[in-house]
Amino acid sequence: MARDNIFVGLEIGTSKICAVVAEARSDGTLKVVGVGSVPARGVRKGEIVDFETAKRCVHDAIVDAEEKSDVEISEVYLGITGSHIRSFNNRGVVVLEEGREEIDEQDLDDVRTNAREVSLPMEDCILHTIIQHYYVDGQDGVLNPVGLLGKKLEADFHIVYGIRTRIQNAIRCVKELELEPADVIINSLATAQAVLEKNQKQLGAIVIDIGGGTTDFVVYVDGAVKQSGVLSIGGDHITNDISIGLKIPSARAEKLKVDEGNVTLGTAFPGETILLKDETGFAGREIEREPLNQIIHERLREALEIVKRQIEADQNLHYVGAGVFITGGCSQIRGLEHLASDIFGMPVTMAHALPMAGVTSAFENPQFSTALGLVKYAHLVQIDRPASGGLIRNAFQKIKGIFRN
Amino acid sequence: MVQLNRQYDRANNSGEPIHVKVVGVGGAGSNILDRVMLDGIEAAELVAINTDVQSLTASVAAHKVQLGRNLTRGLGSGGDPELGYAAAEEATDDIRSVLQGGTVVFLCAGLGGGTGSGAGPLVAQVAKEENALVLAFAAVPFSFEGRRRCAQAEESLTRLRAVCDAVVCFENDRMAEITLPRMGIHEAFAAADLTVSQSIRSVAALLQRPGLLHIGFDDVCAVLRNGDARALFGYGEADGENRAHDALAKALKSPLMNRGALLENAFHAIVHICGGPNITLGEVQIIMEELNRHINDQTQLFMGIGIETRMGNRLSVSVLSSLGNGLGKPIAQFRQRAVYPVEPLPQPNVKPEPWKPAAVSELPPKAAAQEQAGAIGYAPERGEEELMLSSTQSETHKPAQTRPPAKLDAKSQTGSAKKVEAKQEILQFEPVSRGRFEKSEPTIIDGQDLDIPTFLRKNVRIR
């Protein structure tokens, strides 16, 4: 049953679909009760391309999670990604009417609504409006303006939006399985919750989640989300490159990437080879190690350089104090840490989710960072707004909004 | 060239042994000398030559020569090269006696001051007269030390080049890049000294150590001789599993190397790999292949391998090369070589163009220059067809001698259009593979379809 203290995070990824069931304990921590994970089909670059197949996979993952956690799942926090997701920063302003000087909750809502009033294309809808900073009468560094006296309330928000129909696909997939999407969260934001500690967010950090089909990144500056983005390059691309470059079937390329791949050039002895055993439909072959590494190197270097360029373009790179945190399935490739620190010129951490109670194998695997982040996000938001049910109402409205028309 | 000489020791002992003398001239020279001494150098005599007695007594060198006993009376030369030269002239006999019997003389000096700039060339001269091979390591002052000093250094450098077999020039500006700007000035100079000392030691070691693949003085000279501008030197040492890669990476990280980027312009380079007896062929191969990525195809590479038990599990790589600023000569040679030998015929057709008085004089100077550059610079790279094309073009020019230049331009434009067409046939547009992303929405960033493998788009050669 969906109880208040049970959160389920569902990530429909390109390589795998996984559901994490976690329980909020009375001491305010989360305990992972069970993780269901199945290889994904019908998903490309983080988006559903074959609805029926993907739906079946989601179903399997949910069933798997239910079995492992002994919880009947009825509500999920759904992670969303895809190249259509974009973001920008915007400021909202509210001027208090004559005779009133104390800022109240209503003003906060107003300033948020105000910031959201931007002209987006018709097909787009807003996913998140994340508060960055409040300013009261031009004074910054205000954490919570409610109760303060002032005439003018301003607030900076990070607004994430995407194409409505494409977000709907994922939601519909969940709904058709008789599940209720409690909220829709972009993957990068969720991952950051799992990977970063509070002081790292304060210092400024970049989280890069290199998954199967997409690379999601988010930049924290001064404890607030400053930038987020999705790049449709992931592990699949590496596999595809290997498959084309070395002329071997995709499945072989995938295995080769996982077992032998290394991004550092010059580590292989010249002429060092890897033997691929023959099996039906594939004659055995020897593959040289250096070209393999070179292909992986080129691809990952490019992907990280694009991310860096985008962060640089928004002039956020200099405000990052805690460094780069790389997670996701692809972060397991050997030598990525050096490549990344070479590109970004700052400390790079190969991160997985911060420890939680429960199934340890879950958070030690960077593949599950996003799904764990989803439950963490859900938990955090619930702590933020405990009794009022504001979140649920909000989320409800959001999803209704997505389904409007 | 590189010679494989198994009986190196025996052969060498039967011949004349190499007497190495390291001579430091002036204050900076003796600083470098101290550094060399501290780091340890085998079988070399260290000679300090200076006008300043104080600095001379502080020096650790075994032999010391004081310059200008009567002229400067134990004081420095006060930054005056004339005075430095005169002081050295006074002590020529002392210098000669101390340099006698040296086969190879390494002269190190900091240029820009008085003694180093003034006496340095004279010391080199004397050493040369004593039939020694002279290799000068000269440090050029920081640019912030003022124009005057830089000019003095420049002048002295020219004189050194006239006398020495090879001059290795170290720019302090470049070397200081090793140290952070925040570090003490003392450390910055020390770091510069260290680099010079390292290169002296490794060149000396190159010459003296028995090598599996030996590098001789002739090789060193060949590499450094046309190095008019500056020396590229890198030294790296590493142990552990990945030592080959690490040692080379360190060597290339040397500030004189600029991560190997500068090597691309070098025409000769020496690589010396030294390690314990457990050095493998694979490691040598890794180093050489990696280095080959940094140099261009025309670079002549001298490889030396030394095996020393005292290296233990460590492996060291030294890379020595020079950037010539008188690049003209070698480039011309290499260009000539690149000319297609089959096509001497069209050349005369191309050449007469500048002779047509009317048409050419009317051309704007820039266009004329371009045309000339085209005729001389690019001719060797043109394919057969294009050469034919240009010859027909020049034929059509003949009646058009009196036409205004605009028409000429138009002609050449149509010519270039044809050239592009010819190239298009070679280019492959069709088989761009997107593999499994064939049917998915393309990921296009900055005009590039990222679904196509990166190595294909960037044209990286996958071996």
Side-chain angles (χ1 to χ4, degrees):
Chain A
M1 248 328 282
R3 285 158 292 176
D4 267 0
N5 58 347
I6 289 282
F7 302 106
V8 182
L10 175 67
E11 189 208 358
I12 304 179
T14 311
S15 59
K16 54 152 195 8
I17 296 176
C18 73
V20 169
V21 184
E23 183 185 15
R25 295 193 296 191
S26 50
D27 60 356
T29 58
L30 269 180
K31 180 187 174 196
V32 178
V33 195
V35 177
S37 172
V38 293
R41 279 175 298 131
V43 184
R44 277 271 179 283
K45 297 181 184 174
E47 293 179 67
I48 296 173
V49 290
D50 178 347
F51 191 75
E52 286 306 317
T53 318
K55 195 172 93 182
R56 219 170 306 131
C57 289
V58 172
H59 175 260
D60 293 348
I62 293 287
V63 169
D64 190 25
E66 280 181 339
E67 275 171 9
K68 282 181 179 150
S69 60
D70 204 16
V71 170
E72 194 185 323
I73 298 169
S74 62
E75 200 180 73
V76 294
Y77 286 82
L78 183 61
I80 287 278
T81 187
S83 55
H84 60 95
I85 291 174
R86 278 161 226 281
S87 62
F88 62 94
N89 294 324
N90 198 26
R91 178 174 284 195
V93 185
V94 166
V95 178
L96 272 62
E97 68 267 28
E98 203 63 39
R100 189 163 70 88
E101 285 193 324
E102 191 183 323
I103 295 162
D104 59 22
E105 291 272 358
Q106 183 57 43
D107 294 323
L108 292 197
D109 279 353
D110 287 351
V111 80
R112 184 178 287 264
T113 319
N114 186 308
R116 287 166 67 110
E117 274 166 9
V118 281
S119 56
L120 288 179
M122 272 303 286
E123 76 240 27
D124 285 353
C125 71
I126 292 177
L127 276 170
H128 295 282
T129 315
I130 307 162
I131 179 68
Q132 291 174 331
H133 301 287
Y134 289 110
Y135 304 87
V136 177
D137 289 348
Q139 173 206 357
D140 61 0
V142 181
L143 292 178
N144 186 3
V146 174
L148 290 181
L149 300 185
K151 288 264 56 154
K152 189 169 82 170
L153 173 67
E154 291 167 280
D156 283 336
F157 290 96
H158 183 71
I159 296 172
V160 184
Y161 65 99
I163 296 176
R164 180 182 291 118
T165 48
R166 288 161 76 167
I167 300 167
Q168 265 175 348
N169 284 333
I171 296 177
R172 197 157 62 93
C173 178
V174 173
K175 280 200 161 170
E176 287 198 4
L177 291 167
E178 304 292 312
L179 293 170
E180 197 53 50
D183 200 351
V184 182
I185 301 125
I186 56 160
N187 280 354
S188 50
L189 190 62
T191 313
Q193 308 313 315
V195 166
L196 291 185
E197 288 181 51
K198 196 164 182 190
N199 64 329
Q200 289 163 339
K201 290 180 189 171
Q202 282 297 339
L203 271 173
I206 300 171
V207 177
I208 305 175
D209 173 2
I210 313 179
T214 57
T215 296
D216 302 63
F217 69 92
V218 59
V219 184
Y220 270 85
V221 174
D222 282 340
V225 180
K226 196 70 199 290
Q227 191 185 358
S228 64
V230 180
L231 174 69
S232 295
I233 294 180
D236 266 8
H237 285 84
I238 303 177
T239 307
N240 190 44
D241 292 359
I242 295 173
S243 160
I244 292 172
L246 303 179
K247 300 181 181 60
I248 52 175
S250 258
R252 279 314 187 118
E254 173 74 24
K255 194 167 175 327
L256 199 61
K257 172 186 78 175
V258 173
D259 293 344
E260 306 285 350
N262 191 328
V263 292
T264 322
L265 294 182
T267 48
F269 288 125
E272 192 181 350
T273 54
I274 304 160
L275 181 70
L276 292 186
K277 289 205 190 94
D278 58 336
E279 57 184 42
T280 36
F282 177 72
R285 242 183 81 188
E286 280 198 338
I287 300 286
E288 269 196 69
R289 200 176 272 275
E290 190 66 13
L292 170 72
N293 294 351
Q294 221 172 346
I295 291 171
I296 301 175
H297 177 95
E298 291 298 334
R299 173 60 83 177
L300 281 172
R301 173 172 278 275
E302 181 185 56
L304 290 176
E305 273 171 353
I306 290 173
V307 170
K308 186 192 173 191
R309 268 210 302 278
Q310 293 190 359
I311 296 173
E312 244 171 358
D314 281 19
Q315 276 148 18
N316 287 331
L317 206 57
H318 298 299
Y319 301 103
V320 174
V324 182
F325 295 79
I326 300 186
T327 185
C330 256
S331 67
Q332 288 162 303
I333 283 195
R334 296 157 198 84
L336 185 59
E337 194 174 346
H338 295 288
L339 176 68
S341 63
D342 184 37
I343 291 171
F344 283 93
M346 58 174 91
V348 171
T349 313
M350 289 296 132
H352 51 72
L354 296 164
M356 284 189 244
V359 192
T360 51
S361 60
F363 59 76
E364 277 172 1
N365 188 341
Q367 291 187 345
F368 293 117
S369 300
T370 305
L372 286 165
L374 286 168
V375 295
K376 231 167 188 173
Y377 177 90
H379 185 219
L380 278 178
V381 174
Q382 209 194 38
I383 293 171
D384 259 11
R385 299 194 176 177
S388 69
L391 163 82
I392 303 294
R393 199 193 66 215
N394 264 1
F396 237 81
Q397 278 176 350
K398 184 159 110 187
I399 289 163
K400 251 165 66 188
I402 290 168
F403 268 96
R404 201 177 55 208
N405 307 331
Chain B
M1 264 309 293
V2 176
Q3 44 186 304
L4 181 64
N5 195 343
R6 280 166 199 255
Q7 282 85 38
Y8 174 78
D9 273 322
R10 217 187 306 153
N12 197 47
N13 288 342
S14 63
E16 276 180 34
I18 299 179
H19 285 294
V20 176
K21 292 194 188 226
V22 185
V23 184
V25 183
S30 59
N31 282 346
I32 297 171
L33 213 59
D34 289 352
R35 191 70 233 183
V36 171
M37 185 68 186
L38 277 178
D39 296 340
I41 187 164
E42 304 147 25
E45 271 178 59
L46 304 185
V47 183
I49 299 179
N50 205 347
T51 43
D52 184 358
V53 173
Q54 248 184 327
S55 145
L56 206 57
T57 38
S59 169
V60 292
H63 305 273
K64 296 172 186 181
V65 176
Q66 189 199 342
L67 303 182
R69 263 178 227 281
N70 305 319
L71 204 63
T72 59
R73 299 200 192 112
L75 296 176
S77 56
D80 181 2
E82 304 277 323
L83 195 60
Y85 185 81
E89 225 170 9
E90 196 184 295
T92 313
D93 293 336
D94 293 345
I95 298 172
R96 195 180 298 280
S97 69
V98 91
L99 291 182
Q100 239 160 21
T103 332
V104 181
V105 171
F106 294 117
L107 176 83
C108 37
L111 301 185
T115 314
S117 318
L122 191 80
V123 175
Q125 175 86 45
V126 172
K128 202 72 213 148
E129 283 165 17
E130 289 301 312
N131 287 327
L133 285 160
V134 184
L135 200 58
F137 293 81
V140 176
F142 286 102
S143 48
F144 60 69
E145 287 181 65
R147 291 230 181 96
R148 172 75 194 276
R149 273 180 89 87
C150 291
Q152 286 180 4
E154 203 53 53
E155 199 189 324
S156 167
L157 202 59
T158 340
R159 289 222 226 134
L160 273 177
R161 275 187 195 131
V163 188
C164 299
D165 288 281
V167 178
V168 186
C169 173
F170 293 88
E171 289 168 350
N172 272 351
D173 280 338
R174 268 198 97 63
M175 284 192 289
E177 283 169 20
I178 335 167
T179 51
L180 295 170
R182 222 176 280 160
M183 271 171 137
I185 182 80
H186 191 73
E187 280 166 84
F189 278 100
D193 286 346
L194 182 69
T195 318
V196 181
S197 142
Q198 261 179 353
S199 55
I200 293 178
R201 285 197 307 134
S202 60
V203 174
L206 275 185
L207 299 176
Q208 291 177 327
R209 280 178 191 166
L212 196 61
L213 283 173
H214 186 62
I215 287 183
F217 195 81
D218 49 332
D219 299 327
V220 176
C221 280
V223 168
L224 298 176
R225 187 164 286 146
N226 50 17
D228 286 346
R230 61 180 187 230
L232 302 180
F233 171 76
Y235 177 81
E237 208 178 88
D239 59 1
E241 231 172 86
N242 222 349
R243 59 184 189 172
H245 175 78
D246 291 348
L248 182 65
K250 270 188 204 162
L252 293 182
K253 239 184 198 164
S254 151
L256 294 173
M257 280 290 184
N258 198 6
R259 287 183 185 241
L262 292 176
L263 267 181
E264 198 153 318
N265 304 324
F267 287 94
H268 307 271
I270 284 183
V271 199
H272 191 258
I273 304 167
C274 187
N278 60 354
I279 178 172
T280 64
L281 178 66
E283 284 169 333
V284 175
Q285 221 172 337
I286 286 183
I287 292 172
M288 294 314 283
E289 293 212 343
E290 213 158 302
L291 195 70
N292 270 317
R293 280 192 213 133
H294 293 291
I295 60 177
N296 69 38
D297 297 342
Q298 271 69 36
T299 310
Q300 190 179 9
L301 208 57
F302 299 93
M303 180 177 75
I305 299 172
I307 291 185
E308 273 186 43
T309 39
R310 80 183 169 98
M311 289 295 287
N313 282 325
R314 281 170 305 143
L315 186 139
S316 76
V317 177
S318 6
V319 183
L320 185 67
S321 180
S322 63
L323 276 185
N325 63 355
L327 283 180
K329 219 195 291 169
I331 277 191
Q333 281 172 357
F334 136 64
R335 276 278 157 81
Q336 273 166 15
R337 235 180 286 157
V339 172
Y340 289 102
V342 235
E343 285 295 325
L345 270 176
Q347 295 259 350
N349 277 339
V350 179
K351 268 187 185 163
E353 262 182 294
W355 287 101
K356 289 168 210 160
V360 170
S361 59
E362 269 174 78
L363 275 176
K366 201 179 161 194
Q370 271 176 352
E371 208 169 82
Q372 243 168 333
I376 298 161
Y378 296 115
E381 281 159 28
R382 284 185 186 172
E384 209 171 311
E385 271 183 36
E386 287 153 42
L387 280 172
M388 295 294 281
L389 202 143
S390 60
S391 74
T392 52
Q393 200 181 321
S394 63
E395 271 168 22
T396 51
H397 277 183
K398 268 178 194 161
Q401 270 181 16
T402 47
R403 280 184 198 170
K407 289 251 173 171
L408 257 175
D409 278 0
K411 279 279 178 202
S412 62
Q413 265 168 19
T414 54
S416 66
K418 270 183 194 170
K419 199 158 54 184
V420 170
E421 261 179 20
K423 272 191 178 169
Q424 271 182 340
E425 283 180 343
I426 307 160
L427 274 176
Q428 293 182 320
F429 279 121
E430 197 38 54
V432 215
S433 41
R434 299 177 65 224
R436 70 195 296 186
F437 300 109
E438 204 66 70
K439 290 191 178 67
S440 70
E441 186 195 38
T443 305
I444 293 176
I445 288 181
D446 297 338
Q448 293 204 15
D449 185 348
L450 297 187
D451 290 336
I452 299 166
T454 319
F455 69 92
L456 286 181
R457 269 181 288 120
K458 292 197 173 165
N459 256 331
V460 176
R461 191 160 44 107
I462 301 287
R463 294 160 299 119

